[in-house]
Amino acid sequence: MRATSFPAAVAVVLASIASEAAASPVAPAGASSCTGCHAASPGVDTPIPRIAGRSAAETVAQMQGFKTGQRKGTVMDRLAKGYSDAEIQAIAEWYAQQK
Amino acid sequence: MKALSRREFLASTTVAAAVGLSAPALAQGAPRVVVVGGGFGGASAARALKQADPRIAVTLVETSRTFTACPFSNLVIGGLRELSAQQFGYDRVAAGGVEVVFATATGVDARARRVTLDSGAGLDFDRLVLSPGIDIRWNALPGYDEAAAEKMPHAWRAGPQTALLRRQLEAMEDGGVVVMAAPANPFRCPPGPYERASLIAHYLKTKKPKSKLILLDAKDQFSKQRLFQNAWKELYPDHLEWVSLSNGGKVTGVDASTMTLSTDFGSHKAAVANVIPPQKAGRIAEVAGVADQTGWCPIDPVTFESKLVPNIHVLGDATIAGGMPKSAFTANAQAKICAAATAKLVAGEQPEQPKLINTCYSVAAPDYGITVAGVYQPVNGVLTEVQGSGGVSPIDAPRSARAEEALYAAGWFNTITGEVFG
């Protein structure tokens, strides 16, 4: 093993530990209900988009659009108003880690 | 300090991870959770428990090998969908590591933490989750017993009753009067009677145009009321008449032999009668002692543990859940919260404060969907809707929005049944 590869190996191990922590089965408050409509698994016949694996920034932008009324929705404009900015951020980050 | 070699680093983190993860379970043996009832609540809870912590031994007790879903069963009654599209098995649930036992739970010994089955077998548990749905209060409506339900189906538990009501409508001569009776609150699926009335009216309008539906109601107000009433005015002005409590709609008794429904104001003779009777939590809730004098089950809104019997959790239609309605969406959402909390409790940890959603789709016609949605959290021990959120579809939305919600309704059904059984 070359000397320079050692820190890289540690970084890889640390990264894998970090991603395991992020992919914890414990969802933040308010997140677990979402998969009643937004399919957790791919391949479901539905026009409702999946949010698992979507970037946190995009989910936050969509939710804030619904919450402020800038984006029209059918159901989500009513539901987004029930979440704080911090909750939206945590839920978006958690779904970004799901596959 | 000496720098760790890569091998030492890996070894030390691996040991730490192994100790950190398995110490509580090894100390106590694998925790055992028994779930009774394989509907939207129970099957969701069993799966979510296994996902939350694979070391938990999860047993799901369910009477029937085939589950027949209530949501969308009104489309079956209206001739727009087949009953087989409502039916699901438990193979995938079992494949995920849940032990599925096809039996009926007949007894619960809360002190000994043991469930007894009709087979005579017993199941020991650390925690028990009951998701028993509803039972009919036979004879609470005078004249409405199990024999009467074979002539005047309730179809409020999907299956043979659903098929019976559809056959009766199909066999009815054009010009017949269909009479429905809707109960007082609380009952399973608050918008359900009104969706059903809509889809029976749709059937009459398209297949038996000289016929008519009369909906006798024990209430003056109901879920999504203005949306339904606008849809009825637009779609079924000649085929659907709603009679409110104030206008004499409360059914006080039925006679199945003459197909008559009585109110304080008179009686209605029906060619086809659909009686949605008063209800209570499924029988095992009463047996376990988790139902109160109302017939429903008070619960802690963080863990869904019974307020009457420790170590027994209750979820779904059987519960008194504050502002949350008795719906499949609610049962699934509650199941995931209850499972996360139960996994924490068996590990000796503190459950998180939850936040839950309900979304109920109804269809007034195949291309006409409407919704009610809400966000809920515990406030002073009661699941309470978050202020400023939730509500029903806009009253003035264009028909294109109704069509969109009808498509989303179908997508929702596929998604939730996929999560629970797929």
Side-chain angles (χ1 to χ4, degrees):
Chain A
M1 186 189 281
R2 278 164 39 211
T4 50
S5 69
F6 172 59
V10 173
V12 167
V13 171
L14 289 176
S16 74
I17 291 168
S19 77
E20 269 171 39
S24 142
V26 180
S32 65
S33 289
C34 306
T35 54
C37 284
H38 298 277
S41 310
V44 177
D45 180 14
T46 174
I48 303 170
R50 286 183 76 220
I51 53 175
R54 181 185 281 186
S55 84
E58 189 185 342
T59 301
V60 169
Q62 300 275 0
M63 283 291 280
Q64 290 295 348
F66 285 128
K67 188 177 171 180
T68 58
Q70 285 176 319
R71 199 187 151 186
K72 286 252 176 233
T74 54
V75 169
M76 283 313 300
D77 48 353
R78 290 172 260 159
L79 293 176
K81 293 180 178 69
Y83 287 88
S84 70
D85 293 348
E87 286 169 335
I88 288 172
Q89 186 68 38
I91 291 167
E93 284 174 11
W94 188 77
Y95 273 107
Q97 297 295 331
Q98 309 304 306
K99 288 173 195 122
Chain B
M1 192 182 124
K2 174 178 158 265
L4 290 175
S5 75
R6 181 171 182 270
R7 184 172 296 174
E8 282 166 342
F9 178 86
L10 286 175
S12 63
T13 51
T14 306
V15 169
V19 169
L21 281 174
S22 56
L26 286 175
Q28 298 171 359
R32 299 154 304 175
V33 179
V34 174
V35 181
V36 175
F40 285 96
S44 298
R47 284 192 133 171
L49 274 160
K50 205 70 193 168
Q51 282 159 13
D53 189 341
R55 295 163 306 185
I56 300 174
V58 182
T59 306
L60 176 64
V61 179
E62 163 57 40
T63 302
S64 174
R65 286 178 182 270
T66 303
F67 175 73
T68 306
C70 275
F72 273 45
S73 68
N74 287 328
L75 287 162
V76 178
I77 291 166
L80 297 161
R81 185 177 175 89
E82 293 312 310
L83 193 61
S84 57
Q86 299 295 109
Q87 294 181 322
F88 302 88
Y90 294 92
D91 289 355
R92 299 294 306 156
V93 176
V98 172
E99 188 188 353
V100 183
V101 175
F102 294 106
T104 301
T106 52
V108 175
D109 186 335
R111 203 172 291 265
R113 298 195 191 180
R114 191 173 172 83
V115 176
T116 49
L117 308 178
D118 56 351
S119 61
L123 294 170
D124 294 321
F125 62 81
D126 294 300
R127 287 188 176 265
L128 174 64
V129 177
L130 299 179
S131 187
I134 58 151
D135 259 10
I136 307 295
R137 287 179 189 271
W138 299 114
N139 290 307
L141 178 63
Y144 199 70
D145 57 16
E146 283 171 276
E150 293 304 313
K151 290 197 73 181
M152 304 171 122
H154 54 77
W156 219 239
R157 290 196 301 192
Q161 282 271 307
T162 312
L164 175 61
L165 181 55
R166 173 173 168 162
R167 282 200 308 274
Q168 290 182 343
L169 289 166
E170 286 170 345
M172 184 181 80
E173 281 184 29
D174 192 4
V177 176
V178 181
V179 184
M180 277 183 70
N185 294 324
F187 61 96
R188 162 181 279 178
C189 191
Y194 313 97
E195 179 188 69
R196 178 174 294 176
S198 305
L199 294 174
I200 291 177
H202 180 270
Y203 174 75
L204 299 180
K205 182 182 172 180
T206 51
K207 298 280 168 48
K208 313 241 161 110
K210 286 184 276 184
S211 304
K212 183 180 173 175
L213 168 70
I214 299 171
L215 171 52
L216 302 171
D217 205 333
K219 302 180 293 304
D220 281 325
Q221 266 117 43
F222 60 86
S223 177
K224 307 176 193 168
Q225 183 163 359
R226 284 187 63 200
L227 291 166
F228 273 117
Q229 288 181 317
N230 284 357
W232 295 343
K233 203 183 294 175
E234 184 182 341
L235 303 173
Y236 313 119
D238 303 323
H239 293 96
L240 198 167
E241 180 192 349
W242 176 63
V243 185
S244 68
L245 170 68
S246 301
N247 287 321
K250 185 182 177 180
V251 174
T252 53
V254 300
D255 183 343
S257 65
T258 58
M259 291 294 283
T260 305
L261 299 90
S262 301
T263 70
D264 285 339
F265 291 71
S267 64
H268 298 262
K269 196 165 164 51
V272 173
N274 170 218
V275 177
I276 305 169
Q279 299 150 32
K280 59 183 178 179
R283 188 174 161 275
I284 195 68
E286 209 173 309
V287 171
V290 295
D292 69 12
Q293 72 282 357
T294 67
W296 306 99
C297 306
I299 45 93
D300 177 284
V302 175
T303 60
F304 291 86
E305 187 166 3
S306 168
K307 286 187 173 172
L308 303 179
V309 185
N311 303 312
I312 302 182
H313 302 249
V314 192
L315 51 89
D317 291 351
T319 59
I320 301 167
M324 293 194 85
K326 300 183 188 304
S327 73
F329 194 109
T330 284
N332 170 260
Q334 292 179 346
K336 289 180 274 192
I337 296 299
C338 174
T342 303
K344 289 251 179 192
L345 289 169
V346 297
E349 294 167 24
Q350 191 73 19
E352 315 274 346
Q353 285 290 313
K355 198 163 209 175
L356 301 92
I357 294 173
N358 173 65
T359 302
C360 283
Y361 287 91
S362 301
V363 287
D367 61 349
Y368 196 115
I370 52 178
T371 49
V372 62
V375 183
Y376 302 84
Q377 63 191 9
V379 177
N380 299 323
V382 177
L383 283 164
T384 305
E385 190 160 8
V386 176
Q387 267 196 340
S389 72
V392 297
S393 307
I395 206 77
D396 55 357
R399 274 302 290 272
S400 58
R402 308 294 187 221
E404 192 177 20
E405 289 217 291
L407 289 175
Y408 285 176
W412 165 78
F413 183 87
N414 293 340
T415 298
I416 198 162
T417 54
E419 177 167 272
V420 181
F421 300 103

